[in-house]
């Protein structure tokens, strides 16, 4: 079994997402069904596939060959569709008018046969829709239906079929059918991951299984999906039981039949805990997938085995990673048994062509060992540039590792679908919420989201994506000197792009020195422990071949410093500067208080505050960070490190480090922001060399306005400036005890922003009145 080495799961979010049940089935606003090549309408179940002649208005090249196989069938199932085909000798477009934008199924039916000179088994062709390449270099052997879903946003959906060189294409049938928008919902988008979001992705159904039961055909599914039996995918089929209890499914609660039919929820594969030999064995399914792709994996559950609530506790794994430990379905399904629910995971780029899904016992709480799975869907994400999320990076990974463990990138998204919860949330005016997820490590992972009501966005997780050196080389065009965006004591920083299009900043350390190594490790350790929207995220690292490479999210707008002086970047407005200060104060505040231990950054400066494309500030460079004093200590004794001009004099004198040292440095940053000049400028007259001394002299005289950035003159409201000046002054107090906490600083800066905003609004009013 290859399960243990392919993927590693690092992050996940859990969300309770709920849907209102549509009262009487789903009727698709767009519903195009075409039996290509057929001279008559074809009825499959309760659906009518149009004769090809009636569909010619959708096709760009009506002169294509209509073919029919010699054998005829009399059944009313899908095999009828395979009796005829349309052969395309050149590129052809099907154009379907879309009455309601949103997610649509595209189902393509292929079954090659010989017709005149066309041996369809030899046809090689591509199919694309919108800007998604759905099939490329495709040839069909045997009857196959390819199912995709994508969000159609224009008034027409164009499906293009393009034969390869000297070849031709064929199609037996095509469906373009609306699906409920709620079925594929955007989930949690990790800050580091920059996951594009599900709504914009095209999904290809790779596997869709009904666990512990028979095939459920399209006719028994309101959305015409096929569910295959799972038996053939079980790694040890004899160690699992099939549970058929369709009647037990609570059809009035939980996930609707649009998520999966009751026929799917009503059967399960259960671990065989009754047999002593297997009472501690996971049930594992193994699937073939494409290397280098990302997948949406949807787990369907319905507790049809328990006789009372809170009886079944189990764990869910993807390859060797825990997706969920201690899953108790009764708490998810509002304390009722047999309520259907599901959750989603988005996996990282696959590095193996096998994907293993397991469920296993969770007995830490003394529960009886048991585990079930009712249904599973594996959908491949397609990039909009025409490729799948596959690529060079991954093939490189596969090609160069010695079959060893590779930390793959895998971001997880879990959804649970339940109706009741939705109602309750709807009452509160929320459509989604995030709840803490307890992991097997026992730590609580609190996930925030841009969807959540509050402004928080924080994820605590055990990151650590380890990149092979070749992948980093590739991302940076082999450390192209023209891609260098910064140079520091640590080494050079390159911009780069991962194969999935994620833009990154790659910091490559100078050859290993003891000091550099310590900082490298600290940075990984620190950034792996906490995540926050105002802290730069670490995407990964590489320590192969004595390299010390850190890979971060790319910050479009570089350092705060570069926006203040010494470069040609247009100067920032006062409001922008305040917002940047507030953002970085938030990041520091989080460092000081948001984690179980105080984290002291130790190198707060404008060059370590980075700005993203929206000028949102993120604190960077944790190489010098230290865990703060424990409860019984008041400070940490340590050698003085940091940057000249920002150093806390108390720390310098006494070598005693507290979080107030960061507050001091931040005070210096505030002055830099206001005056737009370096903290130490030896080209200036002596009294002006040190920004802090000079600015504090003016502040104490109450004339700070005399030395502000010339581009801000007349643009800062006096109240706002006064508040800001006072805040900086407090931060710069000689003794740490006299300095405010970052929380107070944050509050004061927000107040300074309000004071500034008040004048803008006032001005507007004035303009309107005059
Ligand atoms: C085929 O189906 C279409 C749409 O349902 C209908 O308009 C048409 O009359 C049918 N044609 C035949 C030959 O039954
Ligand atoms: C059609 O092509 C397939 C695959 O190349 C081949 O196995 C088959 O014999 C061909 N059929 C005919 C009738 O030539
Ligand atoms: C297309 O597929 C065939 C066989 O599946 C393979 O030999 C060939 O290299 C592929 N061509 C491209 C351009 O990927
Ligand atoms: C489709 O895309 C549009 C625009 O990107 C988005 O607003 C909408 O929510 C998406 N719909 C679905 C069902 O994903
Ligand atoms: C599926 O639907 C068909 C026709 O509606 C029915 O005969 C069959 O029993 C159903 N299958 C199951 C497993 O219920
Ligand atoms: C079905 O589930 C709902 C909760 O989703 C619960 O309120 C209801 O009592 C359940 N019905 C039965 C028959 O258990
Ligand atoms: C189930 O699989 C996971 C992941 O491979 C593993 O960590 C765990 O120990 C397994 N549990 C049992 C009972 O074998």
């Amino acid at each position: 079994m290859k399960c243990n080495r392919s993927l590693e799961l690092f992050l996940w979010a859990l969300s309770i997402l709920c849907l209102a049940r549509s009262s009487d089935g789903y009727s698709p606003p767009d519903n195009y069904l075409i039996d290509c090549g057929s001279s008559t309408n074809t009825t499959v179940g309760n659906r009518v596939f149009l004769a090809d002649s009636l569909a010619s208005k959708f096709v760009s090249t009506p002169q294509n060959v209509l073919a029919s196989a010699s054998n005829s069938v009399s059944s009313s199932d899908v095999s009828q569709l395979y009796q005829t085909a349309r052969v395309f000798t050149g590129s052809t477009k099907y154009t379907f008018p879309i009455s309601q934008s949103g997610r649509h199924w595209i189902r393509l039916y292929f079954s090659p046969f010989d017709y005149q000179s066309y041996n369809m088994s030899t046809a090689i062709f591509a199919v694309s829709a919108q800007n998604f390449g759905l099939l490329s270099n495709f040839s069909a052997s045997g009857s196959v239906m390819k199912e995709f879903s994508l969000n159609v946003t224009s008034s027409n959906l164009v499906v293009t079929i393009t034969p390869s060189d000297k070849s031709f294409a064929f199609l037996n049938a095509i469906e373009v059918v609306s699906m409920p928008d709620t079925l594929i919902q955007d989930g949690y988008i990790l800050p580091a991951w920059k996951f594009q979001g599900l709504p914009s992705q095209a999904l290809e159904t790779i596997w869709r299984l009904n666990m512990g039961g028979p095939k459920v055909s399209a006719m028994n599914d309101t959305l015409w999906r096929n569910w295959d039996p799972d038996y053939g995918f079980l790694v040890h089929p004899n160690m699992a039981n099939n549970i058929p209890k369709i009647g037990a499914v609570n059809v009035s609660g939980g996930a609707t039949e649009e998520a999966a039919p009751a026929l799917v929820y009503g059967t399960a594969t259960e671990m065989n805990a009754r047999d002593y030999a297997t009472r501690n064995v996971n049930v594992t399914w193994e699937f073939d997938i494409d290397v280098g792709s990302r997948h949406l994996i949807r787990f369907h559950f319905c507790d049809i085995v328990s006789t009372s609530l809170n009886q079944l506790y189990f764990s869910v794994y993807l390859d060797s990673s825990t997706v969920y430990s201690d899953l108790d379905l009764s708490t998810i399904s509002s304390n009722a048994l047999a309520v259907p629910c599901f959750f989603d995971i988005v996996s990282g780029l696959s590095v193996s062509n096998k994907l293993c899904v397991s469920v296993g016992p969770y007995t830490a709480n003394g529960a009886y060992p048991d585990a079930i799975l009712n249904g599973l869907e594996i959908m491949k994400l397609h990039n909009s540039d025409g490729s799948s999320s596959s690529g060079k990076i991954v093939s490189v990974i596969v090609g160069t590792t010695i079959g060893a463990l590779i930390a793959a990138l895998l971001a997880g998204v879990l959804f649970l679908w339940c109706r009741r919860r939705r109602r309750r949330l709807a009452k509160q005016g929320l459509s989604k919420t995030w709840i803490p997820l307890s992991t097997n490590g026992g730590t609580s992972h609190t996930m925030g989201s841009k969807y959540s009501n509050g402004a928080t966005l924080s994820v605590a997780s055990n990151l650590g994506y380890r990149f092979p050196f070749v992948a980093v080389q590739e991302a940076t065009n082999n450390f192209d000197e023209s891609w260098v965006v910064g140079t520091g004591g640590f080494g050079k920083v390159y911009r780069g792009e991962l194969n999935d299009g994620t833009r990154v900043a790659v910091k490559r350390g100078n050859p290993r020195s003891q000091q550099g190594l310590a900082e490298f490790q600290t940075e990984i350790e620190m950034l792996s422990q906490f995540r926050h929207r105002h802290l730069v995220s670490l995407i990964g690292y590489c320590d192969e071949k004595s390299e010390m490479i850190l890979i971060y999210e790319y910050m479009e707008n570089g350092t705060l410093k570069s926006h203040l002086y010494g470069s040609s970047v247009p100067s920032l407005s006062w409001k922008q500067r305040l917002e940047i200060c507030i953002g970085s104060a938030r990041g520091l505040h989080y460092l000081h208080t948001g984690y179980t231990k105080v984290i002291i950054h130790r190198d707060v400066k404008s060059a370590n505050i980075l700005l993203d494309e929206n000028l949102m500030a993120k604190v960077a460079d944790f190489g010098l960070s230290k865990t703060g004093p424990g409860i019984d200590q008041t400070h940490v004794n340590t050698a003085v490190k940091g940057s000249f001009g920002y150093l806390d004099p108390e720390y310098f004198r006494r070598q005693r480090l507290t979080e107030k040292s960061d507050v001091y440095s931040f005070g210096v940053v505030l002055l830099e922001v206001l005056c737009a000049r370096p903290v130490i400028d030896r080209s200036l007259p002596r009294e002006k060399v040190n920004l802090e001394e000079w600015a504090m002299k003016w502040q104490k005289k109450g004339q700070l306005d005399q030395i502000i950035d010339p581009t801000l003159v007349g643009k800062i409201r006096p109240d706002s400036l006064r508040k800001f000046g006072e805040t900086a002054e407090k931060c710069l107090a000689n003794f740490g005890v006299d300095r405010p906490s970052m929380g107070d600083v944050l509050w004061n800066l927000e107040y300074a922003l309000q004071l500034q905003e008040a004048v803008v609004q006032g001005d507007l009013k004035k303009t309107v009145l005059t």
Side-chain angles (χ1 to χ4, degrees):
M1 227 169 73
K2 296 176 182 145
C3 301
N4 289 338
R5 51 165 264 233
S6 57
L7 284 172
E8 216 163 294
L9 177 75
F10 290 104
L11 291 167
W12 54 88
L14 174 68
S15 149
I16 302 283
L17 161 67
C18 315
L19 281 190
R21 181 179 287 267
S22 56
S23 49
D24 39 21
Y26 173 73
S27 96
D30 294 309
N31 192 22
Y32 297 102
L33 310 172
I34 301 170
D35 185 3
C36 303
S38 173
S39 55
T40 58
N41 287 349
T42 304
T43 305
V44 178
N46 56 357
R47 300 198 297 166
V48 176
F49 283 70
L50 286 189
D52 202 313
S53 55
L54 297 174
S56 57
K57 58 177 180 272
F58 303 121
V59 199
S60 64
T61 51
Q63 74 279 15
N64 287 306
V65 183
L66 304 183
S68 55
S70 45
N71 55 325
S72 62
V73 290
S74 55
S75 73
S76 73
D77 72 3
V78 71
S79 62
Q80 289 179 99
L81 296 175
Y82 291 134
Q83 300 311 307
T84 57
R86 179 184 270 259
V87 170
F88 309 95
T89 51
S91 182
T92 303
K93 284 184 164 55
Y94 274 89
T95 305
F96 300 99
I98 296 299
S99 63
Q100 193 173 314
S101 66
R103 199 160 270 275
H104 286 66
W105 299 113
I106 299 178
R107 294 192 178 107
L108 306 171
Y109 295 78
F110 304 101
S111 181
F113 55 84
D114 285 318
Y115 182 76
Q116 295 171 356
S117 62
Y118 299 103
N119 179 351
M120 296 180 202
S121 307
T122 64
I124 301 177
F125 53 96
V127 180
S128 63
Q130 293 193 148
N131 48 352
F132 293 100
L134 303 180
L135 296 173
S136 63
N137 193 23
F138 176 77
S139 63
S141 55
S143 304
V144 58
M145 191 271 283
K146 292 280 183 184
E147 181 185 274
F148 303 88
S149 76
L150 55 87
N151 181 359
V152 182
T153 46
S154 52
S155 55
N156 282 309
L157 174 66
V158 179
V159 177
T160 307
I161 301 173
T162 314
S164 294
D165 276 354
K166 299 195 197 87
S167 190
F168 63 95
F170 73 98
L171 189 56
N172 299 74
I174 179 169
E175 287 183 30
V176 171
V177 180
S178 306
M179 63 192 269
D181 281 348
T182 42
L183 200 58
I184 304 292
Q185 295 259 323
D186 206 352
Y188 173 71
I189 300 171
L190 290 166
W193 185 249
K194 293 272 176 71
F195 182 69
Q196 289 299 304
L198 288 174
S200 61
Q201 302 277 331
L203 300 173
E204 175 183 354
T205 308
I206 306 292
W207 302 108
R208 182 180 286 129
L209 302 183
N210 175 27
M211 270 54 192
K215 178 180 169 72
V216 174
S217 72
M219 288 173 225
N220 300 67
D221 183 304
T222 44
L223 303 180
W224 304 283
R225 290 164 297 200
N226 287 300
W227 301 78
D228 293 320
D230 69 320
Y231 191 81
F233 300 88
L234 279 166
V235 174
H236 299 293
N238 51 341
M239 291 190 187
N241 297 325
N242 292 344
I243 310 293
K245 270 197 194 167
I246 292 159
V249 177
N250 179 338
V251 289
S252 61
T256 65
E257 60 181 353
E258 284 152 21
L263 288 175
V264 171
Y265 282 118
T267 64
T269 295
E270 183 190 27
M271 66 171 272
N272 188 358
R274 283 171 252 304
D275 186 339
Y276 189 82
T278 57
R279 64 198 293 277
N280 203 16
V281 175
N282 290 336
V283 181
T284 300
W285 296 261
E286 190 183 82
F287 302 96
D288 289 335
I289 55 165
D290 289 340
V291 172
S293 301
R294 196 169 292 167
H295 294 87
L296 170 68
I297 299 153
R298 176 167 290 181
F299 297 82
H300 294 274
F301 293 106
C302 182
D303 182 358
I304 51 173
V305 300
S306 294
T307 50
S308 67
L309 290 171
N310 310 108
Q311 208 177 53
L312 173 66
Y313 296 84
F314 61 101
S315 301
V316 181
Y317 309 93
L318 251 194
D319 290 327
S320 52
S321 304
T322 307
V323 172
Y324 208 141
S325 73
D326 192 13
L327 178 59
D328 176 4
L329 295 174
S330 36
T331 58
I332 287 163
S333 51
S334 329
N335 285 319
L337 279 179
V339 173
C341 64
F342 69 80
F343 64 71
D344 288 351
I345 283 277
V346 174
S347 74
L349 296 179
S350 46
V351 294
S352 156
N353 60 357
K354 297 283 179 205
L355 177 78
C356 287
V357 170
S358 310
V359 293
Y362 179 85
T363 48
N365 58 359
Y368 177 77
D370 201 358
I372 60 165
L373 183 60
N374 303 64
L376 186 75
E377 293 174 85
I378 300 179
M379 293 168 260
K380 177 167 146 185
L381 273 55
H382 282 254
N383 280 348
S384 56
D385 61 5
S387 62
S388 67
S389 308
S390 68
K392 288 173 255 166
I393 277 205
V394 173
S395 48
V396 164
I397 293 175
V398 170
T400 55
T401 52
I402 6 134
L405 291 163
I406 311 156
L409 312 176
L410 201 144
V413 179
L414 292 172
F415 279 113
L416 286 159
W417 186 330
C418 95
R419 180 167 73 136
R420 265 187 137 199
R421 179 93 183 192
R422 160 76 159 227
R423 284 213 200 110
R424 214 168 71 213
L425 294 173
K427 268 188 217 149
Q428 298 164 356
L430 283 171
S431 61
K432 293 182 179 186
T433 189
W434 300 98
I435 64 164
L437 167 65
S438 190
T439 72
N440 58 338
T443 45
S444 174
H445 290 218
T446 311
M447 313 298 283
S449 148
K450 62 178 183 176
Y451 302 105
S452 69
N453 221 20
T456 57
L457 175 64
S458 67
V459 179
S461 185
N462 50 334
L463 271 188
Y465 312 132
R466 196 161 170 199
F467 281 67
F469 184 64
V470 270
V472 186
Q473 276 180 307
E474 176 156 3
T476 56
N477 199 21
N478 200 15
F479 302 101
D480 193 328
E481 283 300 306
S482 66
W483 290 26
V484 172
V485 291
T487 310
F490 181 88
K492 284 183 179 160
V493 183
Y494 301 80
R495 75 183 152 80
E497 188 168 325
L498 299 183
N499 198 258
D500 66 347
T502 309
R503 301 189 68 192
V504 291
V506 174
K507 189 155 105 176
R508 187 184 195 187
N510 294 323
R512 220 165 245 189
S513 66
Q514 213 46 46
Q515 150 116 33
L517 182 61
E519 289 179 15
F520 177 69
Q521 284 163 344
T522 308
E523 178 110 14
I524 294 173
E525 201 179 302
M526 289 291 172
L527 281 176
S528 300
Q529 287 172 44
F530 39 70
R531 308 197 130 244
H532 187 267
R533 68 200 256 121
H534 293 292
L535 301 181
V536 159
S537 312
L538 184 70
I539 293 177
Y541 66 94
C542 169
D543 60 356
E544 240 175 61
K545 303 188 192 161
S546 312
E547 288 284 347
M548 294 187 292
I549 296 171
L550 294 164
I551 300 156
Y552 301 90
E553 62 176 318
Y554 188 72
M555 300 292 284
E556 206 75 39
N557 275 307
T559 66
L560 167 60
K561 186 176 180 176
S562 69
H563 288 260
L564 296 175
Y565 49 86
S567 80
S568 55
V569 184
S571 72
L572 299 166
S573 70
W574 182 236
K575 183 180 176 214
Q576 284 171 324
R577 294 185 203 205
L578 281 173
E579 281 169 347
I580 290 165
C581 293
I582 289 169
S584 20
R586 275 217 175 96
L588 290 171
H589 177 56
Y590 173 75
L591 277 185
H592 292 172
T593 60
Y595 195 57
T596 44
K597 274 187 179 163
V598 175
I599 309 284
I600 305 168
H601 186 283
R602 284 217 298 174
D603 203 9
V604 175
K605 56 182 178 181
S606 57
N608 280 343
I609 292 169
L610 303 182
L611 306 175
D612 75 0
E613 69 272 25
N614 301 317
L615 293 175
M616 185 163 88
K618 301 198 183 202
V619 178
D621 215 331
F622 294 83
L624 293 181
S625 305
K626 273 251 184 293
T627 307
I631 293 166
D632 49 341
Q633 297 166 288
T634 56
H635 64 271
V636 180
N637 282 316
T638 164
V640 174
K641 283 188 185 142
S643 296
F644 202 55
Y646 296 90
L647 265 186
D648 168 13
E650 188 181 31
Y651 168 45
F652 192 73
R653 280 194 308 270
R654 306 173 60 194
Q655 313 203 349
R656 291 166 65 147
L657 184 66
T658 71
E659 71 272 24
K660 294 295 179 67
S661 304
D662 282 351
V663 175
Y664 181 91
S665 309
F666 190 72
V668 180
V669 172
L670 294 180
L671 295 178
E672 250 183 305
V673 164
L674 182 66
C675 307
R677 52 150 284 187
V679 291
I680 303 285
D681 187 344
R682 297 191 198 285
S683 65
L684 292 172
R686 209 163 64 86
E687 77 274 15
K688 293 188 183 176
V689 168
N690 183 318
L691 170 63
E692 182 267 329
E693 281 174 19
W694 189 57
M696 279 306 106
K697 213 164 77 190
W698 290 92
Q699 165 67 14
K700 294 205 166 87
K701 285 196 279 186
Q703 296 178 345
L704 200 54
D705 57 320
Q706 298 295 310
I707 59 159
I708 65 174
D709 181 352
T711 66
L712 293 177
V713 170
K715 301 201 176 125
I716 309 182
R717 194 185 178 191
D719 285 350
S720 179
L721 178 60
R722 192 175 317 120
K723 190 83 218 160
F724 189 86
E726 282 167 15
T727 309
E729 184 178 6
K730 282 186 198 142
C731 290
L732 294 167
N734 263 325
F735 297 100
V737 288
D738 301 328
R739 294 177 204 146
S741 69
M742 271 327 287
D744 292 336
V745 174
L746 178 58
W747 193 88
N748 279 290
L749 290 173
E750 277 173 341
Y751 191 47
L753 177 61
Q754 278 172 23
L755 292 170
Q756 179 70 14
E757 295 280 84
V759 77
V760 172
Q761 281 163 15
D763 280 352
L764 282 177
K765 266 188 220 126
K766 258 184 259 155
T767 326
V768 172
L769 288 174
T770 50

